[in-house]
Amino acid sequence: MLTTTDPRTRAVAPTGLEATTAEQADAIVRAAQAAFAAVAGHDRAWRAGLLDALADALEADRVELVAVADRETGLGTARLDGEVSRSAFQFRLFAEAVREGGYLEVAIDHAGQTALGPAPELRRLLVPIGPVAVFGSSNFPFAFSVAGGDTASALAGGNAVVLKAHSSHLETSARSYAVLSDAARAYGAPDGLLGIVYGTAAGAALVAHPLVRAVGFTGSLTGGQALMDIIAGRDEPIPFYGELSSLNPLVITPGAAAARATEIADGLYGSFTLGSGQFCTKPGVAFVPYGADGDALVARLVERATDAAASVLLNERIATSFDEIRGRLVGEGAVQLLARGTDRGEGFTAAPTVLGVEATALTAEIAEEAFGPLIVVARYGDDRDILAALDAVPDSLTATVHSEPAESDAVAALVGELAPRVGRLVFDGYPTGVRVSWAQHHGGPWPSTNSQHTSVGVSAIRRFLRPLAYQDAPEAVLPAELRDGYRGIPRRVDGRLQLD
Amino acid sequence: MLTTTDPRTRAVAPTGLEATTAEQADAIVRAAQAAFAAVAGHDRAWRAGLLDALADALEADRVELVAVADRETGLGTARLDGEVSRSAFQFRLFAEAVREGGYLEVAIDHAGQTALGPAPELRRLLVPIGPVAVFGSSNFPFAFSVAGGDTASALAGGNAVVLKAHSSHLETSARSYAVLSDAARAYGAPDGLLGIVYGTAAGAALVAHPLVRAVGFTGSLTGGQALMDIIAGRDEPIPFYGELSSLNPLVITPGAAAARATEIADGLYGSFTLGSGQFCTKPGVAFVPYGADGDALVARLVERATDAAASVLLNERIATSFDEIRGRLVGEGAVQLLARGTDRGEGFTAAPTVLGVEATALTAEIAEEAFGPLIVVARYGDDRDILAALDAVPDSLTATVHSEPAESDAVAALVGELAPRVGRLVFDGYPTGVRVSWAQHHGGPWPSTNSQHTSVGVSAIRRFLRPLAYQDAPEAVLPAELRDGYRGIPRRVDGRLQLD
């Protein structure tokens, strides 16, 4: 039987869950394929209704879900309550996107004479791809797990989803799954549209399964690479959407340090310790100018960290890895330990840690992601120091700049250097707290992700869709949205975008 | 020195070109990176003008380009003349798309209160990725080579392009490159925005080069897999857009056979022998009903093929491979040789070949792509025979159905089976002759391609773009298209699509 561990006490308890066998995983994927085929008969309104029903069901079980997740993750009820809200919001936002219909990217070119001669009629839209495997993350038991954005976006597109429960919160996963699958059944969805497996072997079996058409993954670079290796061994390659690792550099200009040293130090402290520093968007390195203003900023950051007690980490693997990486970084000759909060005995915990380095001495070894409450402060003289140091920083999901209006020329130059390295540029704020919306992009160059797509926000749906074109098709075989009389969604007709 | 071979005579001639060394390839990629950075300072209107200038230059050199290509490919001047027109058309269509601006997928979410609390402002668009390596194909010396759609779409997105000339038409590639790079220089583009390399080793060096951000490839499955292996060995994975292999099943219903046996046989003959059968969209297997109508259709097809003389193939590798595969297929116990045209001695040639098989006896071995003028006619009793046979047919770029209006229910069921296996469904026509337009999709499930993107038509541009989001950015650092006052392109603002 699989067990669950309370990270606050290290107490291990049975879960009542068993690791899914290879035969069971195969049956679950086959059921997902059958359900995928069955829902193809439903229209967008039906699917939007399903997503709304899932959101409602999550919220109806909020208290119990939060309690289970708090016991398994130690993330605290306030954060987890917010995360349930966010998960429900994601389902509803995708319902809205499905109703709006722009995600179909409908294009119609009528037959006719062109510069190259007579041309046939073409009508194209995006269609779902089939069963999608979604790997839950450790650090978001709801919003990037069973009830998360990958599930919502894959279902929104018309796909079936088979979840791999994260070993760190099995009971949260099982309860989330029960809530969602009960709601789907009550709504009239076919059995199998949502499936779940437990255990590493079953997860690997999903990725290798010929009926699985894509994989969504949020986790470690090592875990992601293991799954990519499985994909490389498949007869048919499939897309792997991995969100893997990110250092998220943050730059504080001299002007910003002069104007807002304490405010920025407090904001930065809050950001790198949020959720015990267990966010892919945690700022892992902050560039602070030399001089009195920078000194004041660092002093405040050090004060905040020194005064703090250790907080709970999600599981033993993360705690062990954090300790190892912190130890390695502190051992680097160029690195100074500036602050470390009070450690606590019980549970998997980590104390907020601030390390210092000269920007000119920053190396790839020092710019390693430590998943937990740790930040490296890199002191710099001018922007050349930053630019040289950035070459040691792996490309990331985000980069952040704190500056003052008078510095706009320098900021523009800096942004020019940062933009090719990241997927989101944040100004005078903090990269943690990722807005779920139409314009969001959560993704970046390798190793932060391995694709050009987002895993947060509406356009995440495109990962699980592919184009299909109809040439000179009789109207009867066309999807409704491709017929001439259809109204109410944006379509590009003969090259011109039309709103409805 | 590299040589070129006339496929009509097998005469080998020197080209004056040398294989690019590793050092030269590195310098070319570095120059592309520098040019990429330089063109980032230009706006969309500038880039659209560049694409138009490239189109004009191609057409101005049309006579010479066609003459060189005809000598190297044996495709004939009419076809090659049309292909130059198509290449120029592609550049102009991408210019139109760049001016229209929808491809940027601009989305703006203003800051404000949301269901999840206060949210920052987000502004997103798609941005270019850097130098792109484009591998020319053997079978389209213009439209899928140096002057082809990958080049046009990558440049349209704002990227630099480094071409790998196909060994089968080196002088055509060199002349195309000279025409395009001269025109780019005259337009004011930085040197290095277009580069070219010669030789297999230099092509491999491109794919391995850390500054290359994506690869576009049209060619064999084997060649594509070799490049994918190189990508797997990179420190940073990059997208590989491969268009690799396709059998393109075509179904003729009993009604269509009854109504149009001769017309369909003639159309099918034209399609599978077009360009000596050297198209990725060539129909490789046709399902023909048993009975007198089907017999008449097959008889006509056999008559056309028997009467025909061999036509020229592009090169020795293709000719050898075609002979091997034809020999293997004819040797399959279930296969009958129905017709083979007259072979010709000189040059690399192949005679049109029609093979017959019972649909129920179709195997993966028989459903192998033979790149050249060969078609397998699979006779069937009812749709169950077709569906069973389709499991032996690899997923493809296209599938085609010829039917009559009275058969609409059966056609709908058949389309339901074909759609998951292909990227384009063709009705009462032929898959060869791919329209270049907004609604086109040229791509399909593995092994026809390895991605969910098209390589023909406007949306091909998306392969060479990635999203970038700006959070709470000062207006001065925003690209013009993301600013509040900007007009003239479609944008999604607070979730609502607006035309301008």
Side-chain angles (χ1 to χ4, degrees), chain B residues 259-320:
Chain B
R260 299 178 272 131
T262 304
E263 179 193 331
I264 294 172
D266 286 347
L268 192 52
Y269 177 78
S271 186
F272 92 83
T273 59
L274 191 69
S276 296
Q278 300 167 115
F279 284 116
C280 45
T281 52
K282 181 199 79 171
V285 59
F287 291 92
V288 177
Y290 290 127
D293 299 323
D295 290 348
L297 194 155
V298 174
R300 174 71 178 177
L301 195 60
V302 164
E303 178 193 342
R304 292 292 306 269
T306 307
D307 288 351
S311 56
V312 181
L313 295 177
L314 290 160
N315 59 46
E316 183 165 18
R317 192 191 59 72
I318 289 173
T320 305

Side-chain angles (χ1 to χ4, degrees), chain A residues 58 106 128 149 162 255 281 356 400 431 446:
Chain A
L58 268 186
V106 168
V162 182
T281 53
T400 300
W446 180 266

Side-chain angles (χ1 to χ4, degrees), chain B residues 398-440:
Chain B
T398 74
T400 299
V401 178
H402 281 262
S403 65
E404 290 293 301
E407 299 170 308
S408 61
D409 286 352
V411 168
L414 190 59
V415 166
E417 295 290 334
L418 291 170
R421 304 168 190 268
V422 303
R424 179 164 55 106
L425 292 160
V426 178
F427 295 85
D428 299 318
Y430 302 93
T432 44
V434 180
R435 179 178 183 182
V436 178
S437 70
W438 292 81
Q440 186 56 277

Side-chain angles (χ1 to χ4, degrees), chain A residues 21 78-79 88 97 103 135 156 165 186 191 290 321 339 376 380 432 439 441 472 492:
Chain A
T21 66
R79 145 75 193 273
Y103 80 96
F135 281 68
D191 280 346
Y290 289 127
S321 168
V376 174
Y380 71 92
T432 46
H441 174 51
D472 290 333
R492 190 176 285 279

